[in-house]
Structures are given as C-alpha cells and as structure tokens.
Amino acid sequence: MTHLSEILKKRVEGDVMFDTFSRGRYATDASLYQMMPQGIVSPKSESDIHAALDAARGTGVPLLARGGGTSQCGQTVNNALVLDNTQYFNDILELDVEKKRCVVRPGIVLDELNRALKPHGLWFPVDVSTASRATIGGMTGNNSCGGKSLRYGMMRDNVLSIDAILADGSQHHFGPVQDTSNAELTALTNDLLALGAREAAEIDARFPKVMRRVGGYNIDALTPGQAPNNLAHLLVGSEGTLAYSTAIELKLWPLLSEKVLGICHFPTFHHAMDAAQHLVKLKPQGVELVDATMIALARDIQMFRKTIEDVVTGKPDALLLVEFAEEDTSTHGAKLAQLEEMMGDLGFSWKGKGSNWGGVTKVPEPARQARIADLRSSGLNIMMSMKAEGKPVSFVEDCAVELPDLAAYTAGLTEIFEKHGTRGTWYAHASVGCLHVRPVLNLKLDQDVQKMRAIAEECFDLVAQYKGSHSGEHGDGIVRSEFHEKMFGPRMVANFAEVKQRFDPEGLFNPGKIVDPPKMDDRSLFRYSAEYSVEDFKTALDWSGWPGNGGGFQGAVEMCNNNGACRKLKGGVMCPSFRVTRKEQDLTRGRANTLRLAISGQLGPDAMSSDAMAETMKLCVSCKGCKRECPTGVDMARMKIEVQAARIRKHGLSFHDRLVAYLPRYAPFVSRLPWLANLRNRMPGLAKLTEGLTKFTASRDLPTWAARRFRDDEVTPAEKPQAVLFADSFNRYFEPENLRAASSILNAAEVPFDVARAPKGERPLCCGRTFLSVGLIDEAKQEAERLVAALLPYAREGIPIIGLEPSCLLTLRDEIPALLPGEDTQILAEHARMLEEYIADQADNPDFTLPLSSPAPKVLLHGHCHQKAMGVMSSIETTLAMLPDTEIETVETSCCGMAGAFGYGSETHDISRKMAELDLAPAVRNADVETLIVADGTSCRHQVADTTGRKPIHVARLLEMALSK
C-alpha cells in the first residue's frame, strides 16, 4: 500500500498512518473480530474525505468510516482504508434553539454534543450506554437506540437529514423527498421509491413489528404512505455501506432536568421479565434490567461497590430500574407511589416470602441516580470483567421480542444455553423487550466456536418463532448479516443487495456488512484466530491474578475488550493524554491492543522493546485512572513498567532516565549544597544550555531543593508508637515543611508516633517509585525490600503507616505487592494510610481530637490521580469537612499533567500544560484570591504553580494552619 500512502500524504491535511502499530490499533472494535486495515486517515475536512475516497477508489481499496470503534458486531473493522472522524471532524455546524435542531459532523461524541446543548435547555436523547465515546456518525450508521427509546425513539426517529458523499464522489443532501434540480439525486430517489412501492407487501409481511429492529436496510422508509419518504432514514442503520456522511441534522428535545428512579427487586429473573409488560403501563421513560451476575460482579469492582451496597436490598435475582421524568415534576412522587402499588398488585412485598419477596427502593436524589446510571451504562463491561479464559460473548446479544413474550423468550434462550453447557449474563432494556445476553464461551477453543454457531442458529429460530427481531440495537456487522435470510427471507435479502448495488456498485464502502457477508464463525476473522498464540516469557511484576503466559500478563492484557470507556473526554481520570491528542495510541485501549499484538508476535520480533512501542507508551502518565475506571480492570500503569523494563534490557538507560530514577540515591549528597543544586533555575541561560543533555525542558524551573531538608531525628521516637510517619524523598528534600506540619498535627492530636528509619548508616528510606517510573525493576525491589523491612514490624503490631505523597505511600498498596508478592507486603498494604485517611479513620475514636478552626473561607481541593485510583478521595473530603466555617470544593479534573518527570521532559512538557488547561488550571484561575488551593501531590502543586501562578499547599499544611488560628 505504499502507493496509496504516498498519494494520501500529498493530498490530505489530516493524519495519515500506514505503520504496522497504527494499523493494529484499528484492527479491532468491541466485537470478537479482528481485520487489519490497509491504513488510517484522520480527516480534518470534507476535502480530506474526498481525497481519501478518490485515492481508495483509484487503487481499489475499500473505505471504512469509523467513530469510537465500539461496535459489538464487527461493523467498524475491515481490510480497508479507515477514516477516523473523531480526532478532527467533530464540530457543531449549526444550532437552531428555537426549532430544536442542529447539524453536526459525524465525529462529535454524544456527551460532548449534550454538554454543548445543556445551556440551551436541550439535549439529544438517544442516550446509548457508550455516550462518553459514541459518535453521532457511528450512532447514525448503527441506528442506535439507548435506554429511553420507549419515549424518544431511535436514531431513525431523530435524524432529520444527512449530507453524504457517494462512492462516485458526488455529494448530496438526503432528507424528505422533494423536487430537486439535481438529476442524479432525482434518478436515485425514483429508483428507491420504485423499489419501495414494488416490495411494500413483502416489507409489511417480513419486517418484525417490534420497535427494536435494526437489521438490514430500512427500506420500509421507501414504501408508499410515508409522509413524506425520508431518504436519510435509509442511510440510518446502513453501517457505512452506502455512503459517507459528512453532516447530520438532528431533532433535539427539551431537557428534563429532574427525574426519579424506582429500583424494583425480584426474587427470580423470570418474575422480573414477566413484570416488565405491566410496569411500562405507568409510562416511564425507561425500564432497565440488572441481573444477579451483574450485581455480583459489580460488588467486586471498587468504583461500583458502594453503589450496590447503597441501593440493593437483600439478595434479588434481578432488578428493574424504572425511571420517570415528567415536565410537571410535582407528579414524580405519585409515579413512585404508583410503582410501589403495582409491585404490590403483582404480589411482591418486602415482607413476602419466596416468590412473593420484593419491593421498590426509591431514588429521588440526582447524585445517587448518577451513580446508578454509571453502573447501568457500564453493564456490558462489568460482564466482561471476569478474569477467566471464558468471557461473555456478543453474538445473540440484543434480539428483541414483544413484551408479553419476554419471559417465555428468555426462558427458552436459557434452555439453549444450558443445552450447550454454558450460561448467559443479562441486562438492558426491559421496557422494549430488548435484553443484552452474552453466553460465556472461550473463543480460543474450536469447540466453543462450534457452540457459538449452534447457539446462534437456535436462538434466531426462537426469535423468529416469536416474530421478533434478531438485531434489536447493535446492528448486523459480521456477526448477524449472515442470518438475514433466516429472518427476512431470500426476497428481502435480494432487495438489500439491490439497494447496495444502486448506491455503491463497486463495493467501495465497508464491504461484507449487511450484504454479501462472510460466515460469522470464520475464525480467520477472529481476534483470537486459530493461529493465535503467545509464547511464554518472563515478567518483572506479579500477574498471577490472571490466566495465560507471562505469568498471567497475557490474560491481563487480553482483559481489554475494546469497550472504549477510556475515550471519555470529561469525568474521572483516564485517559488524560487522549483528552489532549484524541489519538488512538494515547488510550488504554490503544496501548492494550498494541501489547496484545506484540506478545502474540503480530507486530514482529522484539516489538515489546521497539521504538514504536516506546512511542505508544510515551504519553501514558501512569495516572492509574484505568485501574479504577476501566470496567474490565486493565491496569496500563503497571503494564507500562513491564514495557520499560523490556526496553531497558534491550537498549539500556538514557541519561535523563538516570537523573529521574536515581534521585533517592544522590539526593542525600546534593541536598547538602542546595544553592548549587538550584543554580540551574537561577542562572540565566543555564537551563537552556543543559536541556539537550538532560532532556529537561528549559521552559520550566525544576523543583527547588530545600535549604533545610527533613531529618528523621527531628522527631523523638515514641516509646509505644500508635502511628509511624513515612518520610518520602520528595517531601524530605524539596518540601520538608509538609512533614513538619504532619508532625505538628499528630502531636496536637496527642498521637505517639515515630518516623520510619533506615538502619544506622544507611541512606533514608524510599518506596522505589522513581525506579519504577523508568522500568528499573531490580533497583525498585531493593528499595522496596528496605522499606518493607523497616515498616513490617509496625504493621504486624497493627500500627498504621502514614504518608503524605500519594505516589509514594500508595505504592505500598499497589506496586510493592506486585514486586514482592506475599503475606508481608499484603500486611503492609492493609496498614498504609494517607494522613487524611488516618484522621478520617479516627472518627469513632474518643481519644483522638484535633482543635481545628477555619484556615480560610474556602478551599479548592485537587486530588492526585493515585488517590482517585485507590479510592482515597472520600477520606480527604471527610477530613476537610472537620474544618469549621470552611467551604470545600473538589475540582472535577483528570490528571494535572505534571505526572512526576513527565511535565519536565523536553518532548512532553507541551502536552503536560495542555492537560492542565483542560480543567484544572481554569478552575484555579477562577478561584477567589482568598481561596486556598490544596493538593497532596508534589507534581500537582508544581503544575498549578507553573500554569496559574497560585501556590498550592499540602493538606498537612492546611490542617496545621487550622491548628494555629
């Protein structure tokens, strides 16, 4: 494809990528398939799309439009030239608030659109669970539905018109049929309407009458009697096989800001399914299912555990989440009362026994509703969090039947699963008879592939028996297109082929989908093909919690199911670099795919230690956001350590990395001459002069060495300590006032404590974080062993280990147990506490008191990424709530962008600043001058100071100020 690549690089303004690593990152979506593309283009304009289309047509290469790449059925993979619309082609072209309509580019993400619409009191209500990464173009191509389709309909009901480019390069406006001077469009329109008139009786007979039907082409939009026929509705659900959309006109709706939720508990899954037909009579805007498997899995995921404990009563076998949202919000209480009454009429009560047990948990509070919505929208990915080789597989996932048939259909499907020795996981849209079900299979095994085929055949026969739809939400792609004849009959399949031929006679657009598909069980198209294998290899860290070679590293990498949750642009932490670049390689998903291809030999020899792999990992700031927020638990920060260790073994260590890694070793000596160490910041031109050698950017001052470092003998050891303070290297040598503040706080609370000390004559203790950050595993282990030896006697006595720097203290909970697996490090992990956690833990301790006053009218708190990843933020907020007459506001932000040495790198400082400017820096600049800016992270404090001029302080210093007032 060298010729195509050269043509595109000359004609396209956007990014053009033909290297193996980039192509590999676009070879998969959220389905079970993998197809290596010919190349990738991220277009910046319509002219880029025309150029790509011309080049593809001229070289005989198919073309595939792609959005978030979250398709469940393989719609967005192909051996084609892939055009990724998400990076640049993603703006709002028009917004007419009065007429409630807008026109957008296909690459805009649904959540981004709704954030822009919210100030105008409007929203686009096709609220798919992937709203944080699903693009309007992808949703249009898939005819997406969402949880509120009962009220608002599907994409087809909300797309008014589409501007699109045809395979011959001509561009047309597709909308309600009307007279036009465009002869080409008139001819196409007449042909399509003639097909609709000719086939009207067949369409009426063969198309399922259920609301959720997205299989095949929407040729029912062409039949007589439509008022008027809208050709855009034919493009909706066409999966990019007919034309390339460049602008999409949407119908908007008033935003109903308030809603209430009733969580109905059922003793059996069958009871829940049978109840759905009755609950919809109350006219909710959605009824969503959560089954017992999802409840159990969610309990094991840190970010969802509290939500489950908060809203689930007893041990239900299924929940139905019934949501009401009315313009007259005064009716919401009555709606919940009616829901309780109906559950009683159906025979369920909290006092009931056996099949009569059940009831309603009322959730009127928006914050609790939001947590439940996050849980529900993560349903598919929660199901995929199983660590075994077998995973819930999407292929009969979203068949739809009429509500009266739902209980019988689900019972029949369960029988099919049991017949083939597996079980299904269930969730989703009970209100419209469309349930997501995934049987658990291991598609690396040929016998399970055969099971998949048999289950598909029998399931679709069952759907046909109930006159349902075999494709109720997630489309056709590779997995279902083959079964159109079973569902629609041969004549309708011929009609689909006729539509494809009329639009795209050369098969340029996304071939093999809807028309002329391959077999759904063609293993040559699988992510785990028959040839897929991973040779065993030695890893540096402990991965024994997962299956597969590399001590489980293989299984940990393969946990990524391409769900794309890491593509979110707001909320949470992951993936901060992607929020700046919007490049697939800067995602947990993109990196995980690259690792999977590398360890399985699909990227060539030595891929793990290659320059291309280093580039893939370059902007990963090890924020650990994915550890908490990735629904399948992909821990890219830990995986990056393995990559760096492999690269060091192959290429050695750079001078820059040596300066970073060995800081704890040379700091005791350098700190004796702080004026000399700080000369680089003070002498004009010295930073620029040393930039090339050190690779530290001259545009930032490096952290200032303290004039008087912290010494362990500043604290007199308690005879019987009740706490031990861990003095990390960053606070010891650069901001010792924080350690002194922590000492003051413990003294004020009359807590006898000691400082963790190295054996006499040895350098101070260190967690090994700096060594881990560059991949020096052996050195990190040495530091970890010293730290474990010093702290273990305290931990065995149940004495808490208190730290101030999140990246250091929390290493005791995360990386050190992976470096030195065993009982000792687990005991340490259980006793490692941030200062604020320790204080929050004393809430019920009558012997612990802190005499606090207000240090300031308001505190703006920024949480370190590792605090967020390890679930520590609530403890900080609890502790700061002890401050009287002080308003505490937590900044909703991703990573600050400094991330240790990342923000100081000559090649990464620019991205670092851009990360800060997304949320954190603007929030700080907007803060009142009397507001104190507080951040525990050393990096965070330096980033805020560099980008805003404000000087943040550690929480320890804030509490010390409150003591002295």
Side-chain angles (χ1 to χ4, degrees):
M1 288 295 106
T2 303
H3 180 55
L4 177 59
S5 172
E6 291 173 351
I7 294 173
L8 291 170
K9 287 178 180 177
K10 291 177 182 177
R11 295 188 56 188
V12 169
E13 182 186 2
D15 298 351
V16 176
M17 297 165 280
F18 275 71
D19 63 284
T20 305
F21 276 65
S22 293
R23 290 166 55 220
R25 284 188 278 268
Y26 285 85
T28 47
D29 55 13
S31 71
L32 56 96
Y33 299 105
Q34 175 175 303
M35 299 179 72
M36 192 66 72
Q38 304 287 343
I40 299 94
V41 171
S42 291
K44 287 188 173 181
S45 62
E46 288 187 21
S47 62
D48 276 359
I49 296 170
H50 278 288
L53 181 57
D54 290 345
R57 186 172 54 245
T59 54
V61 174
L63 188 141
L64 167 63
R66 177 164 159 140
T70 59
S71 297
Q72 300 288 323
C73 302
Q75 292 96 321
T76 53
V77 295
N78 218 318
N79 302 131
L81 177 64
V82 173
L83 270 63
D84 180 353
N85 288 311
T86 62
Q87 190 174 356
Y88 306 115
F89 206 56
N90 55 23
D91 49 328
I92 299 174
L93 299 176
E94 296 179 34
L95 173 59
D96 189 330
V97 173
E98 184 178 346
K99 294 184 178 179
K100 298 183 180 64
R101 55 172 288 277
C102 69
V103 181
V104 301
R105 294 296 193 194
I108 192 169
V109 172
L110 175 59
D111 273 357
E112 289 289 284
L113 173 61
N114 277 330
R115 274 190 283 271
L117 295 174
K118 187 175 181 179
H120 304 285
L122 298 172
W123 76 313
F124 187 68
V126 185
D127 64 330
V128 294
S129 63
T130 54
S132 64
R133 62 269 196 197
T135 64
I136 294 299
M139 292 170 62
T140 300
N142 207 51
N143 196 9
S144 294
C145 308
K148 297 179 177 61
S149 60
L150 185 65
R151 172 171 296 183
Y152 296 104
M154 301 155 59
M155 282 299 291
R156 173 176 170 173
D157 304 303
N158 291 280
V159 171
L160 301 175
S161 69
I162 298 174
D163 290 346
I165 306 171
L166 298 185
D168 61 6
S170 61
Q171 191 160 359
H172 304 285
H173 179 77
F174 294 89
V177 172
Q178 56 187 351
D179 292 336
T180 175
S181 59
N182 186 323
E184 185 178 2
L185 181 59
T186 297
L188 175 61
T189 300
N190 290 340
D191 288 348
L192 294 172
L193 293 180
L195 183 151
R198 185 191 76 210
E199 299 298 327
E202 182 74 3
I203 291 168
D204 183 64
R206 297 304 305 236
F207 271 40
K209 300 301 187 290
V210 294
M211 175 185 177
R212 290 299 192 89
R213 178 198 57 77
V214 299
Y217 292 126
N218 291 326
I219 58 175
D220 56 326
L222 305 174
T223 58
Q226 304 291 324
N229 299 97
N230 190 327
L231 296 189
H233 294 169
L234 182 61
L235 297 184
V236 172
S238 64
E239 301 185 355
T241 62
L242 300 181
Y244 196 108
S245 299
T246 59
I248 302 166
E249 183 184 13
L250 303 173
K251 175 184 178 182
L252 305 178
W253 293 73
L255 178 63
L256 301 180
S257 57
E258 294 185 32
K259 59 188 177 183
V260 290
L261 184 67
I263 302 179
C264 299
H265 293 55
F266 295 91
T268 70
F269 182 81
H270 188 274
H271 279 101
M273 295 301 91
D274 187 58
Q277 60 184 306
H278 304 290
L279 299 182
V280 296
K281 295 175 183 176
L282 299 177
K283 297 184 179 180
Q285 67 173 2
V287 180
E288 299 290 296
L289 167 71
V290 175
D291 80 343
T293 301
M294 183 170 165
I295 294 170
L297 289 171
R299 285 188 195 275
D300 291 334
I301 298 174
Q302 188 179 33
M303 69 182 295
F304 298 126
R305 186 177 302 127
K306 184 177 179 181
T307 300
I308 291 294
E309 293 172 351
D310 183 36
V311 301
V312 177
T313 299
K315 295 182 178 180
D317 200 48
L319 305 173
L320 289 181
L321 313 182
V322 185
E323 185 176 277
F324 300 98
E326 305 295 332
E327 290 188 26
D328 181 1
T329 58
S330 67
T331 65
H332 284 168
K335 285 288 188 182
L336 288 177
Q338 291 169 14
L339 181 63
E340 285 187 308
E341 183 180 352
M342 177 168 283
M343 284 289 286
D345 291 343
L346 293 174
F348 303 109
S349 73
W350 293 123
K351 295 180 180 179
K353 304 291 184 182
S355 61
N356 295 118
W357 176 86
V360 180
T361 298
K362 298 178 181 180
V363 186
E365 307 91 347
R368 293 173 75 202
Q369 292 169 11
R371 291 198 301 271
I372 295 165
D374 287 342
L375 169 67
R376 209 290 302 166
S377 65
S378 297
L380 285 177
N381 305 312
I382 291 172
M383 298 300 189
M384 296 301 289
S385 66
M386 298 177 181
K387 290 185 177 180
E389 291 276 15
K391 296 285 194 298
V393 180
S394 172
F395 63 100
V396 293
E397 175 160 322
D398 55 328
C399 302
V401 296
E402 295 284 3
L403 280 180
D405 298 323
L406 189 58
Y409 165 69
T410 54
L413 197 51
T414 298
E415 290 178 6
I416 293 173
F417 294 159
E418 291 175 350
K419 171 185 172 183
H420 293 283
T422 187
R423 58 190 173 85
T425 60
W426 305 81
Y427 94 106
H429 316 300
S431 56
V432 287
C434 178
L435 293 180
H436 296 318
V437 55
R438 293 185 171 200
V440 177
L441 299 168
N442 180 3
L443 294 187
K444 295 177 182 176
L445 303 177
D446 190 61
Q447 65 192 45
D448 278 21
V449 175
Q450 293 175 23
K451 284 183 184 179
M452 180 180 74
R453 179 82 201 189
I455 291 171
E457 295 277 6
E458 294 175 38
C459 170
F460 294 147
D461 285 340
L462 184 65
V463 172
Q465 175 185 326
Y466 286 107
K467 297 183 179 179
S469 168
H470 71 315
S471 185
E473 180 172 19
H474 291 153
D476 299 330
I478 300 171
V479 81
R480 275 196 282 260
S481 294
E482 175 193 348
F483 296 98
H484 283 334
E485 187 163 327
K486 180 188 286 282
M487 299 306 300
F488 293 108
R491 180 169 172 176
M492 195 63 64
V493 169
N495 290 331
F496 295 159
E498 184 176 339
V499 170
K500 170 71 171 176
Q501 176 68 21
R502 186 62 182 84
F503 272 90
D504 182 22
E506 301 300 322
L508 181 70
F509 291 127
N510 201 13
K513 317 295 163 59
I514 300 180
V515 171
D516 297 325
K519 293 289 185 181
M520 61 90 74
D521 54 342
D522 180 351
R523 290 197 69 185
S524 69
L525 303 178
F526 279 21
R527 189 183 309 181
Y528 303 115
S529 68
E531 292 74 34
Y532 181 87
S533 67
V534 174
E535 297 293 326
D536 203 8
F537 58 99
K538 183 175 176 56
T539 54
L541 303 177
D542 177 30
W543 299 94
S544 58
W546 292 267
N549 286 334
F553 183 75
Q554 173 190 352
V557 169
E558 291 174 358
M559 285 299 294
C560 179
N561 70 337
N562 281 17
N563 63 76
C566 43
R567 291 181 66 93
K568 62 185 177 184
L569 297 169
K570 289 282 186 181
V573 176
M574 70 167 185
C575 274
S577 52
F578 172 77
R579 298 184 187 197
V580 172
T581 69
R582 301 205 183 188
K583 292 179 180 290
E584 183 71 20
Q585 78 173 33
D586 298 326
L587 281 171
T588 297
R589 179 179 78 177
R591 296 174 184 125
N593 275 324
T594 304
L595 287 172
R596 176 180 54 81
L597 294 168
I599 63 176
S600 59
Q602 298 180 69
L603 297 178
D606 297 322
M608 280 284 283
S609 58
S610 66
D611 290 345
M613 183 65 78
E615 188 66 23
T616 300
M617 294 291 175
K618 181 178 178 179
L619 299 188
C620 174
V621 294
S622 298
C623 66
K624 299 189 186 180
C626 50
K627 179 180 179 66
R628 180 177 177 86
E629 296 170 25
C630 172
T632 57
V634 176
D635 187 348
M636 190 51 58
R638 186 183 290 190
M639 293 174 185
K640 183 180 179 180
I641 294 172
E642 293 287 358
V643 171
Q644 290 173 306
R647 185 165 177 82
I648 287 174
R649 289 194 296 268
K650 183 79 172 178
H651 301 285
L653 200 64
S654 70
F655 182 59
H656 172 83
D657 286 343
R658 286 185 184 277
L659 289 173
V660 172
Y662 284 90
L663 183 144
R665 301 273 177 94
Y666 62 72
F669 308 102
V670 173
S671 63
R672 294 173 183 173
L673 297 170
W675 62 269
L676 182 61
N678 294 327
L679 201 60
R680 182 256 189 206
N681 292 347
R682 295 173 180 172
M683 180 177 288
L686 189 56
K688 190 65 179 176
L689 185 65
T690 59
E691 184 178 47
L693 174 65
T694 66
K695 301 302 181 186
F696 288 123
T697 177
S699 66
R700 285 188 193 268
D701 282 350
L702 294 178
T704 301
W705 293 81
R708 186 169 67 94
R709 69 185 184 183
F710 179 83
R711 296 180 180 275
D712 296 342
D713 58 14
E714 294 181 33
V715 173
T716 302
E719 185 175 336
K720 292 184 178 180
Q722 295 177 12
V724 59
L725 181 63
F726 168 42
D728 62 273
S729 297
F730 303 111
N731 283 303
R732 178 184 293 275
Y733 298 112
F734 297 97
E735 297 179 88
E737 61 272 18
N738 297 331
L739 290 164
R740 294 178 182 123
S743 299
S744 298
I745 293 163
L746 293 173
N747 285 327
E750 299 182 354
V751 177
F753 74 100
D754 195 0
V755 173
R757 305 166 194 263
K760 190 172 182 179
E762 290 189 11
R763 66 183 180 277
L765 297 172
C766 169
C767 67
R769 161 66 51 195
T770 58
F771 291 115
L772 286 173
S773 72
V774 302
L776 285 173
I777 303 300
D778 290 341
E779 289 80 357
K781 282 184 178 179
Q782 291 174 15
E783 298 300 331
E785 286 166 350
R786 294 175 66 240
L787 189 60
V788 171
L791 294 176
L792 191 57
Y794 295 100
R796 283 181 172 155
E797 293 295 323
I799 296 173
I801 299 155
I802 299 173
L804 302 187
E805 171 57 38
S807 63
C808 295
L809 185 281
L810 296 174
T811 299
L812 284 164
R813 292 192 198 169
D814 192 2
E815 288 88 352
I816 288 180
L819 278 170
L820 305 171
E823 182 182 349
D824 289 350
T825 53
Q826 286 302 319
I827 292 173
L828 279 180
E830 291 167 6
H831 288 84
R833 313 298 286 166
M834 293 295 298
L835 175 65
E836 305 92 314
E837 284 186 288
Y838 171 75
I839 295 173
D841 290 343
Q842 309 308 309
D844 297 325
N845 181 359
D847 297 327
F848 183 93
T849 57
L850 270 178
L852 298 174
S853 58
S854 176
K858 183 174 180 179
V859 169
L860 187 66
L861 172 67
H862 167 67
H864 188 284
C865 293
H866 294 184
Q867 290 175 306
K868 297 172 186 175
M870 303 301 286
V872 176
M873 289 302 296
S874 60
S875 296
I876 304 175
E877 291 162 349
T878 297
T879 295
L880 295 190
M882 296 168 58
L883 297 172
D885 304 318
T886 306
E887 179 186 353
I888 309 298
E889 179 185 348
T890 301
V891 184
E892 291 297 325
T893 180
S894 180
C895 178
C896 74
M898 187 64 83
F902 180 86
Y904 295 108
S906 57
E907 295 181 356
T908 51
H909 72 94
D910 182 54
I911 293 292
S912 165
R913 292 180 185 275
K914 289 179 179 177
M915 288 163 65
E917 293 298 339
L918 290 174
D919 296 295
L920 177 58
V924 172
R925 292 191 195 102
N926 290 335
D928 189 275
V929 291
E930 293 184 352
T931 297
L932 290 179
I933 314 301
V934 173
D936 274 359
T938 298
S939 296
C940 307
R941 292 192 295 275
H942 284 84
Q943 180 74 303
V944 170
D946 278 4
T947 56
T948 70
R950 298 290 294 270
K951 300 294 184 183
I953 60 173
H954 192 282
V955 173
R957 291 193 62 206
L958 177 74
L959 295 175
E960 184 185 41
M961 291 170 60
L963 286 174
S964 62
K965 290 253 178 175

